[in-house]
Amino acid sequence: MPVERLALTDFRNHRDALILPGAALPASAMIVLTGDNGAGKTNILEAVSLLAPGRGLRGVALRDMARQDGPGGFGIAADVAGARIGTGTLAATPDRRQVRVNGTAAAATALAEHLAISWLTPAMDRLFIESPGGRRRFLDRLVLALRPDHGTHSARYEAAMRARNALLAEERPADPEWLAALEAQMDAHGHAIDMARRHVLARLGQVLGQTDEDIFARPRLALDGWTGAPGALAAALRSGRGRDAGAGRTLTGPHRADLIVTHADKGQAAALCSTGEQKALLLSLILAHAAIVGGDTGRPLVVLLDEVAAHLDPARRIALFDRLRATGGQVWMTGTEAALFDGIGAAARFIVDEGQVVAG
């Protein structure tokens, strides 16, 4: 569902900002944020991204998000389809995230029940050539938009794995029954994580295969890493206890999977493609995913695109705007120049200037 109202308090360079996307247009319309570099445009996108589970589009520590020279802590609140959701920190506990839904404290995973969010930023241009961890997180964001319980499975899997690693690191022999219980939890949640990832990749493959891709590159997707029937991971973990204890970490499981992306028309790994081709592959993925979320869940995706228009020629910009509009979701875009969005049609426009936001 779209964000109908967004309020920021002491977040980044925004002391007190209020954005009403639907004041003049439907809240599902395009939202354009323009302004100079450093004005705070990306900070607004980051605030929206924090209305989903996780650490947002920058992935930095919570304490770094509070406004410098502010009182400490920050707040983000949004109205979404009759619900008010919010997140932030307190000055006394700058690394502890607070989440509230309709005024009641909630777990961060509860946010996924109200908003499905995806994003593309310039920092993601290196996604295909950096470590598998970034690609896993990217894939899990795509999955979360379709499967809100994916965040809960991931959180519980990680908690069980941390507890198992701590037990294996102790000098005294670990309690085998406790280890077995933790491994059973990892198995149950790990199997759900793996199946959800593979389901979403299959759906993306279907949509990408049906798309006449003559504007952006067509990606082919695969998941590399552990997979197995229920019980298989628990057995692998049990037999690998000695190895994992020596390594100081768990070496088997879905937490080590990697998203493999290939330029389908060239048969070339995305990591070997040009920078422009890699950007085109990412855009194709984002567009296909947005189409799937709206169609499969009935709640269109909120898409955040940071400085994406500046890297496209006019024809591709128009094609991107048209395809984003066709998804039926809410799209937030930033750019330094308003002219980059001349072909966008109806849009809610805002000018960001050193933490101040005014209607454009």
Side-chain angles (χ1 to χ4, degrees):
M1 299 301 170
V3 175
E4 300 166 352
R5 175 184 183 274
L6 178 69
L8 311 183
T9 304
D10 292 317
F11 180 78
R12 296 289 190 180
N13 68 330
H14 296 280
R15 181 191 300 271
D16 184 16
L18 177 64
I19 300 177
L20 301 172
L25 296 164
S28 59
M30 302 273 189
I31 299 161
V32 175
L33 306 171
T34 57
D36 294 339
N37 290 325
K41 304 183 301 297
T42 304
N43 294 341
I44 294 172
L45 296 193
E46 182 182 28
V48 178
S49 74
L50 287 166
L51 296 172
R55 294 168 58 191
L57 58 79
R58 285 191 174 105
V60 301
L62 289 169
R63 64 171 57 238
D64 294 334
M65 301 178 190
R67 184 171 61 85
Q68 293 183 5
D69 301 324
F74 67 88
I76 302 167
D79 290 348
V80 182
R84 176 158 293 185
I85 61 176
T87 189
T89 62
L90 301 176
T93 53
D95 295 313
R96 181 182 177 186
R97 184 176 184 181
Q98 309 280 330
V99 173
R100 301 188 76 81
V101 177
N102 292 326
T104 302
T109 52
L111 294 171
E113 300 174 8
H114 298 274
L115 273 183
I117 304 176
S118 182
W119 58 79
L120 183 61
T121 70
M124 293 169 61
D125 287 353
R126 297 179 59 83
L127 183 72
F128 299 128
I129 60 177
E130 292 186 338
S131 69
R135 290 186 290 277
R136 266 196 312 276
R137 289 188 291 274
F138 172 72
L139 173 57
D140 283 337
R141 286 198 300 274
L142 303 185
V143 176
L144 186 64
L146 285 157
R147 300 282 189 90
D149 64 344
H150 187 67
T152 299
H153 285 300
S154 298
R156 292 178 178 174
Y157 177 89
E158 293 287 340
M161 182 170 64
R162 286 195 301 270
R164 178 179 180 271
N165 289 344
L167 276 180
L168 292 175
E170 294 180 354
E171 293 184 5
R172 62 183 180 181
D175 182 344
E177 292 187 4
W178 193 356
L179 277 174
L182 292 170
E183 289 162 355
Q185 292 179 40
M186 290 178 65
D187 183 278
H189 296 298
H191 181 70
I193 291 168
D194 183 61
M195 290 297 99
R197 287 171 175 170
R198 294 182 186 278
H199 168 76
V200 171
L201 289 182
R203 285 290 290 120
L204 284 168
Q206 290 173 352
V207 171
L208 289 166
Q210 296 167 358
T211 303
D212 184 16
E213 192 54 84
D214 56 355
I215 297 293
F216 304 109
R218 188 194 313 276
R220 184 168 63 243
L221 311 172
L223 189 64
D224 181 38
W226 177 88
T227 189
L233 180 57
L237 292 170
R238 184 168 56 250
S239 64
R241 289 173 184 172
R243 181 190 65 175
D244 292 349
R249 62 187 187 279
T250 300
L251 298 175
T252 301
H255 64 286
R256 294 179 63 84
D258 191 6
L259 173 64
I260 306 301
V261 180
T262 305
H263 190 308
D265 296 331
K266 297 179 67 174
Q268 187 175 53
L272 300 178
C273 292
S274 69
T275 301
E277 288 172 331
Q278 291 182 23
K279 173 75 83 173
L281 290 167
L282 276 170
L283 280 170
S284 289
L285 270 173
I286 293 293
L287 290 166
H289 179 250
I292 291 170
V293 173
D296 287 11
T297 69
R299 52 172 196 162
L301 189 68
V302 175
V303 181
L304 313 176
L305 300 176
D306 192 22
E307 299 289 352
V308 69
H311 303 285
L312 300 174
D313 59 45
R316 284 181 170 83
R317 283 202 297 270
I318 297 300
L320 175 64
F321 299 154
D322 289 344
R323 288 175 60 172
L324 286 167
R325 192 177 295 106
T327 69
Q330 187 181 61
V331 182
W332 297 64
M333 289 185 283
T334 68
T336 55
E337 301 175 24
L340 292 171
F341 304 97
D342 284 348
I344 202 171
R349 293 175 180 259
F350 298 91
I351 299 171
V352 185
D353 183 15
E354 296 184 358
Q356 301 297 314
V357 183
V358 296

